[in-house]
């Protein structure tokens, strides 16, 4: 297929994607190069940390620093035409698409380096890092979930401050992170027990919305949100 034909096919595929199928990312794809640049920026900002943390704890860590490996992956994949169109067609959550692609990239890097060593020293045996593809989804879900919660907390905190709910957020953190009861919050912040519960709920709503926003960008549909949040909470549980 010629480049021109491929581009035409790519364009027709883009036009055929319903705008509700993958939300924000599909809307950006429709904006052409500028939209793609925004997608790439979002992906690099959101997924660099969890991908780096994943490879740092894997058998692939001997290939290089996490930052270099993630940068190499982004340079290799995000530059490909129709990379995100293929993600939409896969019907996978974006995080699954990325971790699968990252594993392929790491395995390609292993094969490339092995070939270079064999060419230089044909009689020297080399060992490959063991592939952890079987458990990669679960492990990456755990790492991604922790990263996403931190990102959602930052977003929700900023929103609370902007809306004048700074105290509400402080109470939310004390309740959910430090385990303070509503009665303890009421004493500390000099409000009634009912007020402390209401203020925590106000911040909690902002936090949940921040989580929902990130899940939607990861490719979840409205119908899948409750299941995705439950999966997120399960991934965060120790052991």
């Amino acid at each position: 297929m010629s480049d021109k034909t491929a581009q035409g096919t790519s364009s027709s595929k883009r036009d055929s994607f319903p705008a509700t199928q993958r939300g924000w990312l599909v809307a950006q794809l429709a904006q052409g190069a500028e939209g793609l640049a925004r997608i790439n920026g979002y992906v690099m900002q959101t997924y660099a940390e969890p991908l780096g943390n994943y490879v740092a704890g894997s058998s692939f860590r001997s290939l290089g620093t996490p930052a270099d490996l993630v940068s190499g992956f982004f340079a290799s994949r995000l530059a490909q035409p129709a990379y995100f169109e293929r993600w939409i067609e896969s019907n996978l959550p974006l995080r699954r698409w990325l971790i699968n692609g990252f594993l392929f990239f790491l395995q390609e890097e292993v094969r490339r380096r092995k070939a270079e060593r064999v060419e230089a020293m044909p009689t020297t045996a080399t060992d490959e890092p063991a592939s952890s593809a079987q458990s990669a989804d679960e492990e990456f879900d755990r790492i991604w979930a922790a990263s996403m919660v931190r990102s959602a907390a930052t977003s929700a905190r900023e929103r609370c401050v902007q809306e004048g709910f700074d105290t509400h957020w402080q109470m939310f953190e004390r309740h959910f992170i430090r385990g303070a009861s509503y009665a303890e919050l009421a004493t500390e912040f000099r409000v009634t027990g009912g007020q402390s519960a209401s203020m925590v709920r106000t911040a909690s709503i902002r936090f949940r919305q921040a989580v929902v926003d990130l899940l939607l960008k990861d490719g979840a549909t409205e119908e899948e949100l409750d299941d995705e949040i439950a999966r997120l909470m399960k991934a965060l549980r120790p052991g």
Side-chain angles (χ1 to χ4, degrees):
M1 182 183 293
S2 69
D3 290 344
K4 185 174 182 180
T5 302
Q7 289 173 0
T9 302
S10 174
S11 176
S12 64
K13 284 182 180 179
R14 182 188 297 115
D15 293 342
S16 72
F17 292 142
T20 57
Q21 186 179 2
R22 283 295 186 262
W24 181 83
L25 283 161
V26 174
Q28 297 307 309
L29 282 176
Q31 301 301 313
E34 291 185 1
L36 184 58
R38 284 190 289 271
I39 292 175
N40 287 345
Y42 165 74
V43 167
M44 288 187 285
Q45 179 181 6
T46 304
Y47 294 93
E49 178 191 345
L51 287 171
N53 288 343
Y54 170 79
V55 75
S58 78
S59 56
F60 293 103
R61 61 185 176 274
S62 62
L63 293 175
T65 67
D68 286 345
L69 292 171
V70 172
S71 294
F73 166 64
F74 285 154
S76 169
R77 269 33 179 197
L78 301 189
Q80 293 180 6
Y83 182 70
F84 290 104
E85 292 175 0
R86 293 198 301 274
W87 161 64
I88 293 171
E89 291 174 339
S90 76
N91 207 35
L92 290 170
L94 182 57
R95 65 185 183 276
R96 293 280 167 80
W97 175 257
L98 291 171
I99 189 58
N100 289 347
F102 193 37
L103 285 170
F104 280 123
F105 169 80
L106 293 170
Q107 290 161 357
E108 290 167 3
E109 188 67 11
V110 168
R111 289 192 292 271
R112 183 186 68 79
R113 296 186 187 191
K114 182 177 180 180
E116 289 178 351
R117 290 195 297 269
V118 169
E119 183 177 350
M121 296 178 291
T123 61
T124 302
T126 58
D127 296 324
E128 293 187 16
S131 172
S132 54
Q134 184 174 359
S135 60
D137 283 350
E138 291 182 3
E139 176 63 12
F140 188 68
D141 265 0
R142 182 187 65 80
I143 294 171
W144 175 81
S147 176
M148 195 196 69
V149 166
R150 288 193 296 271
S151 180
T154 298
S155 177
R157 182 190 303 112
E158 291 173 352
R159 181 180 173 187
C160 282
V161 171
Q162 291 170 0
E163 295 178 354
F165 296 139
D166 188 21
T167 301
H168 300 60
W169 181 260
Q170 293 178 44
M171 296 171 72
F172 171 83
E173 287 188 325
R174 282 168 172 73
H175 180 65
F176 284 103
I177 297 176
R178 301 180 186 176
S181 67
Y182 291 131
E184 290 171 333
L185 293 174
T187 299
E188 180 180 354
F189 290 92
R190 298 181 181 180
V191 295
T192 67
Q195 286 174 323
S196 68
S198 177
M199 293 169 78
V200 168
R201 186 163 55 251
T202 295
S204 179
I205 290 170
R206 272 69 176 169
F207 175 70
R208 188 183 190 281
Q209 185 58 54
V211 170
V212 165
D213 289 345
L214 289 173
L215 287 172
L216 290 173
K217 283 189 175 182
D218 190 59
T221 64
E222 296 283 351
E223 294 76 16
E224 296 168 340
L225 282 175
D226 287 341
D227 288 342
E228 281 293 294
I229 290 174
R231 190 174 295 112
L232 170 70
M233 294 300 105
K234 180 180 179 182
L236 287 171
R237 295 191 195 110

